[in-house]
Amino acid sequence: MTEWVSLKEAAELEGLLYDTVKKRMQRGLYITDNKSNPLGGQDNIYIDVSSLSLPAQAKYKRREQAEIDKQRLKRLIESGEPPWYVTYDFSLYYENYKATYQKAQGLAAVIEKYLRESAEHHKTKTEFCEEFVKNNLSISSKQFRRYLKKYKEAISWAGVKENENGDSYDYFRIMALCPPPKKGKHTKLTPELMADIENLWASEKYHRNLQSIQLLCEDLWDRIDKRGGEYKPSYNTIRRYCIQLMYSYSDCQTLLQKGERAFRGEKMLKCRRDIKSLKVMECVMGDAHTFDCWIEVTTENGTKTAARPYLVGFIDVRSRALVGWGICLQPDAEAIKQVIIHMIYAKKDSQFYGVPRVVYIDNGKDFTAETLTGRKRKVRFDIDGEIKGFYKSIGIETDMRALPYHAWVKGQIERAFGTIISRFTKRIDSYTGTLTGSKTAGKVFKDIPKMLERGQLMNITEFSEAFQRYLAEDYHIRKHSGLKEDGAKVPTPEWVFENEERYMKAAPPIEYAITLLGKCDTRTVYNYGVTIENITYSSEELARFIGEKILVRHYKKNLGFVCCFTISGEHICNAYTAERINPLAELGDETLTEHLKAQKRHEKRVKADISLLRMPYSEREMQVPELSEEPQKIIAIPQDRQWSERKKKEREKQEQKTNEFMRRQADKAFRRIENL
């Protein structure tokens, strides 16, 4: 059948000007035909498509095919019955029919090859199709044309869906070549039966008790028997529908089977934190970790036993550097205080230290102890600004507490513990696997008692030294994926800690920090002092508080003194270990002599206080030189009333001792003069 186009259309197909095509026609290069103009006037001139150049003929064929596809797509849309793959879940089909889909991918590649090569054989397309199928496939040409029709139809439907939402549906081409899902799959299940299966599957007992699909089938069949006269689906039909439910509602399955805590951790949506916006040492995270290995421990009676050590650590959130750590057998508030001291002061051969602005702590009772936070454990936030715990007293601006069972908010330190397990703990000979894990496969059997007998377990000192070497030689200089995501030039904790912007705050004097290590208790002052753990502490300054209650801060390791404060928090003195006097001591006994002198000083001081109280106001004024207006060089000291009062009392005590020493020396000199 001859096909004709106008001069204008011929110019578009050839890619030439209208006048150029007209001149070629006049020279007889095209086969033409004149047809009368229905509007009157001169006849219209048409050109035979077969006389055009081959590129123009191919362009005409493509345009005609596009128009045919457009009309076919229009009919498809108007029919209202899209193919099965348009509405079917691709991932579900691929999971159930993976081999079929991969076979269709190979067929699609052959069809694409045919479409590329058939453009050059448009005049002998039928013969070319027969030859192509014979050489490339093992099916008939008739079957191949059916596949070709489905392939082109899928391209049209992919274009429709792409125009609707802008997504790519290129996989329609391959799914069109696949057979649709089996007719028997879920088709025998009525909506009522589907609802029954869903009710049984969504029950808490089914998931919590880890029931099998067989039990669900039996419960469903019992329901059907009670209703009577209804089709009973087979086990395989019910199983296939249950698998679909598990795939479509995996988050529901997690909540029903493992509970809310596991659901929040595994399935609940979370938001990533902008760690890069923090400064180095602006925020540190603290937590305790149990090592999955064993060490040798010597008890008080000298026997040796095996125990699992604990790591108490604080990690800088910005750099992921472990800025403070300690290894112990049982972490408590006192151990955490020592680790914080270890964090804020310079350490030998380590540049990781400093006072953080915020400490983000675990919700455990050790990290939230009242001695650390300055408030009751149930109080999550500091309401009274005057209340000070160890965190604030040491210079930390505030403490933040993670919510219970929300481990993901402490992701940085949990990730660090995971790295320590995989790269340090697993290198220890006594490693026994994740004993706290739920999987038995994660446990490693070791005969720990035999290893203890053979002396193969490290003691706590050797273990701590090995851990310190690991931090210096591996952890702090190893590239960190989180730092790489933050865009660090060198993604290692050591480089980021030293080179990124840092939060700076001066640490208080080390003596003050050591004083804060103690535990604060209330004690009654007796005429011999205060007693703590069967040890008596006494000082002359405690005399005026006999019979009253005071606050005593003491360290579990006896340092020979305790710090005494009033109930309102004012420092009284440092009370030192009191020596007991021998009942048979005579006047020449040194201890008795010093005690009698202390009694006299006390009596003298009381009389001086009475005299001061009786003194008129006009006589109390002190004449002092006028202060200079020049600026004074000062140093930062802790803004802590207990610290300032204690230092003041210590200076007064030192001056008093100096004066007492000078008086005794003067008395000796006078006696020598008298004996001359």
Side-chain angles (χ1 to χ4, degrees):
M1 180 180 179
T2 306
E3 297 177 331
W4 304 89
V5 294
S6 64
L7 287 175
K8 184 178 180 180
E9 292 176 331
E12 292 177 357
L13 294 173
E14 293 284 5
L16 301 174
L17 297 176
Y18 179 84
D19 292 339
T20 303
V21 174
K22 188 175 181 180
K23 290 178 181 179
R24 287 187 176 185
M25 179 195 68
Q26 293 172 352
R27 292 199 301 269
L29 299 179
Y30 297 128
I31 300 174
T32 61
D33 184 21
N34 295 338
K35 295 183 180 181
S36 61
N37 190 345
L39 300 178
Q42 295 182 353
D43 293 342
N44 293 330
I45 301 175
Y46 290 90
I47 297 177
D48 187 356
V49 174
S50 61
S51 63
L52 296 176
S53 63
L54 291 180
Q57 293 182 43
K59 187 175 181 180
Y60 176 80
K61 291 294 183 181
R62 289 196 300 270
R63 190 176 66 178
E64 289 295 313
Q65 187 62 41
E67 185 64 26
I68 293 173
D69 293 341
K70 185 177 180 181
Q71 294 298 327
R72 184 190 302 114
L73 179 62
K74 183 178 180 181
R75 291 193 300 271
L76 290 174
I77 297 175
E78 291 176 353
S79 67
E81 297 180 0
W84 65 271
Y85 53 80
V86 175
T87 57
Y88 200 82
D89 188 351
F90 165 73
S91 56
L92 181 62
Y93 186 88
Y94 185 78
E95 181 182 357
N96 295 326
Y97 305 100
K98 186 175 181 179
T100 304
Y101 184 84
Q102 292 175 346
K103 183 178 179 181
Q105 283 180 313
L107 179 59
V110 176
I111 292 176
E112 290 173 1
K113 179 182 177 182
Y114 169 79
L115 293 176
R116 288 194 303 269
E117 297 178 0
S118 63
E120 301 176 359
H121 303 80
H122 58 278
K123 291 186 178 180
T124 59
K125 186 174 291 187
T126 303
E127 293 80 359
F128 174 75
C129 180
E130 295 283 349
E131 187 69 21
F132 182 86
V133 173
K134 183 178 180 180
N135 295 333
N136 294 275
L137 296 170
S138 58
I139 59 176
S140 64
S141 59
K142 186 177 180 180
Q143 181 67 26
F144 178 76
R145 290 191 186 95
R146 292 196 193 100
Y147 282 131
L148 187 62
K149 181 181 178 181
K150 292 180 180 180
Y151 187 86
K152 293 180 178 180
E153 182 180 321
I155 294 176
S156 301
W157 278 107
V160 172
K161 297 294 288 184
E162 185 174 353
N163 292 332
E164 288 180 359
N165 51 30
D167 296 332
S168 175
Y169 292 87
D170 196 49
Y171 62 88
F172 280 3
R173 300 179 299 106
I174 302 173
M175 291 191 69
L177 305 176
C178 299
K182 294 181 180 179
K183 294 293 184 180
K185 193 169 185 177
H186 308 329
T187 54
K188 296 181 181 179
L189 292 177
T190 63
E192 185 178 4
L193 286 175
M194 289 183 181
D196 289 335
I197 296 175
E198 292 168 0
N199 295 155
L200 295 171
W201 183 85
S203 64
E204 185 175 358
K205 181 174 66 175
Y206 174 78
H207 291 281
R208 284 293 176 92
N209 295 349
L210 302 178
Q211 292 182 359
S212 63
I213 297 179
Q214 180 65 38
L215 293 179
L216 186 146
C217 291
E218 294 175 1
D219 293 341
L220 177 64
W221 293 333
D222 290 342
R223 283 192 180 188
I224 296 173
D225 291 338
K226 290 179 181 178
R227 289 198 293 260
E230 191 176 342
Y231 162 74
K232 278 187 179 182
S234 65
Y235 169 82
N236 290 331
T237 301
I238 299 173
R239 178 180 175 275
R240 285 194 295 268
Y241 190 65
C242 288
I243 292 174
Q244 181 178 343
L245 290 176
M246 286 188 287
Y247 176 81
S248 303
Y249 301 99
S250 60
D251 50 354
C252 298
Q253 183 179 5
T254 302
L255 179 61
L256 291 169
Q257 187 173 2
K258 300 181 181 180
E260 293 185 2
R261 188 186 307 178
F263 169 76
R264 294 192 186 104
E266 298 176 12
K267 295 292 184 178
M268 191 170 64
L269 291 174
K270 302 174 182 66
C271 182
R272 301 187 68 180
R273 299 187 177 188
D274 185 14
I275 303 299
K276 191 177 179 180
S277 63
L278 292 174
K279 298 178 182 178
V280 173
M281 290 305 295
E282 186 174 4
C283 177
V284 297
M285 284 185 179
D287 202 354
H289 165 70
T290 308
F291 285 103
D292 298 317
C293 60
W294 299 80
I295 63 173
E296 179 184 284
V297 178
T298 304
T299 60
E300 295 180 357
N301 57 11
T303 59
K304 294 183 178 181
T305 183
R308 295 169 63 195
Y310 285 83
L311 170 66
V312 178
F314 285 87
I315 188 172
D316 173 43
V317 177
R318 178 65 183 91
S319 66
R320 277 65 161 192
L322 196 63
V323 291
W325 60 273
I327 295 176
C328 58
L329 298 178
Q330 184 60 48
D332 54 16
E334 299 303 318
I336 294 171
K337 289 181 182 180
Q338 294 184 60
V339 174
I340 293 176
I341 297 295
H342 179 268
M343 172 179 63
I344 68 175
Y345 292 103
K347 299 176 281 292
K348 184 179 180 181
D349 300 330
S350 176
Q351 69 275 32
F352 303 105
Y353 66 91
V355 179
R357 188 176 77 85
V358 178
V359 58
Y360 202 94
I361 56 177
D362 184 71
N363 198 61
K365 62 180 181 179
D366 298 324
F367 283 88
T368 57
E370 186 176 355
T371 58
L372 295 174
T373 61
R375 58 185 183 273
K376 298 293 184 182
R377 186 168 182 267
K378 293 184 178 180
V379 180
R380 300 189 61 85
F381 301 99
D382 190 356
I383 301 175
D384 188 355
E386 294 299 324
I387 297 177
K388 280 192 177 183
F390 181 79
Y391 293 136
K392 287 190 176 181
S393 298
I394 206 68
I396 299 173
E397 186 175 310
T398 184
D399 62 272
M400 299 176 63
R401 190 187 309 178
L403 293 173
Y405 311 115
H406 285 61
W408 56 88
V409 301
K410 302 188 283 75
Q412 284 70 33
I413 194 166
E414 296 292 347
R415 180 66 182 86
F417 288 159
T419 302
I420 290 171
I421 291 173
S422 61
R423 298 193 59 81
F424 171 72
T425 317
K426 288 187 176 182
R427 287 191 170 100
I428 305 300
D429 293 337
S430 60
Y431 175 75
T432 52
T434 53
L435 300 180
T436 57
S438 58
K439 294 183 178 179
T440 306
K443 299 175 176 61
V444 180
F445 175 76
K446 296 284 180 66
D447 193 348
I448 300 300
K450 289 292 184 182
M451 294 181 68
L452 178 65
E453 292 179 5
R454 293 192 293 263
Q456 296 177 341
L457 301 182
M458 292 188 291
N459 57 40
I460 192 168
T461 303
E462 295 171 342
F463 185 79
S464 300
E465 292 174 353
F467 182 71
Q468 188 170 1
R469 287 194 301 270
Y470 158 74
L471 293 178
E473 299 172 3
D474 186 283
Y475 180 83
H476 284 141
I477 61 176
R478 184 178 175 83
K479 291 185 178 180
H480 195 291
S481 59
L483 297 176
K484 188 175 182 180
E485 291 179 3
D486 293 340
K489 184 178 179 180
V490 180
T492 63
E494 183 180 57
W495 189 92
V496 174
F497 190 89
E498 292 181 347
N499 295 277
E500 294 293 346
E501 185 180 3
R502 182 169 178 176
Y503 170 78
M504 300 296 294
K505 185 173 183 179
I510 186 66
E511 298 83 5
Y512 168 72
I514 293 176
T515 301
L516 291 179
L517 283 176
K519 179 182 178 182
C520 195
D521 290 325
T522 303
R523 289 290 187 272
T524 301
V525 180
Y526 298 98
N527 55 8
Y528 51 81
V530 293
T531 302
I532 300 174
E533 297 181 357
N534 296 326
I535 300 176
T536 302
Y537 298 88
S538 180
S539 177
E540 296 179 17
E541 287 81 358
L542 292 178
R544 66 178 63 185
F545 296 95
I546 293 176
E548 300 180 12
K549 291 186 179 296
I550 63 171
L551 298 176
V552 180
R553 188 182 293 277
H554 58 94
Y555 186 41
K556 67 178 182 179
K557 294 181 180 179
N558 183 19
L559 296 179
F561 71 93
V562 295
C563 298
C564 302
F565 304 88
T566 63
I567 295 298
S568 60
E570 297 180 1
H571 184 263
I572 301 173
C573 65
N574 288 346
Y576 293 86
T577 307
E579 296 185 15
R580 299 199 176 191
I581 300 175
N582 190 331
L584 302 179
E586 299 179 355
L587 291 179
D589 186 81
E590 183 178 356
T591 304
L592 178 59
T593 303
E594 288 297 327
H595 175 63
L596 294 176
K597 290 180 179 179
Q599 288 180 329
K600 291 180 179 179
R601 287 194 298 270
H602 180 208
E603 183 179 358
K604 184 178 180 180
R605 186 170 59 253
V606 172
K607 291 180 179 179
D609 291 341
I610 294 174
S611 299
L612 179 62
L613 293 172
R614 293 176 177 176
M615 186 180 298
Y617 176 75
S618 59
E619 297 181 10
R620 296 185 184 184
E621 294 183 359
M622 182 180 295
Q623 301 298 320
V624 294
E626 186 177 356
L627 296 176
S628 172
E629 296 181 357
E630 296 181 1
Q632 303 292 321
K633 294 182 179 180
I634 62 174
I635 60 173
I637 61 174
Q639 297 179 356
D640 190 296
R641 185 169 52 187
Q642 295 179 355
W643 167 254
S644 58
E645 290 293 332
R646 183 173 70 84
K647 297 303 291 183
K648 180 180 177 181
K649 295 291 186 180
E650 288 181 355
R651 287 195 299 271
E652 293 178 353
K653 184 177 180 180
Q654 186 63 35
E655 292 175 358
Q656 185 178 358
K657 289 182 178 180
T658 303
N659 294 336
E660 184 65 23
F661 174 76
M662 295 300 294
R663 187 185 63 79
R664 289 199 302 268
Q665 294 298 324
D667 291 341
K668 291 180 181 179
F670 281 125
R671 284 196 297 270
R672 290 175 183 174
I673 294 173
E674 291 176 354
N675 294 332
L676 292 178

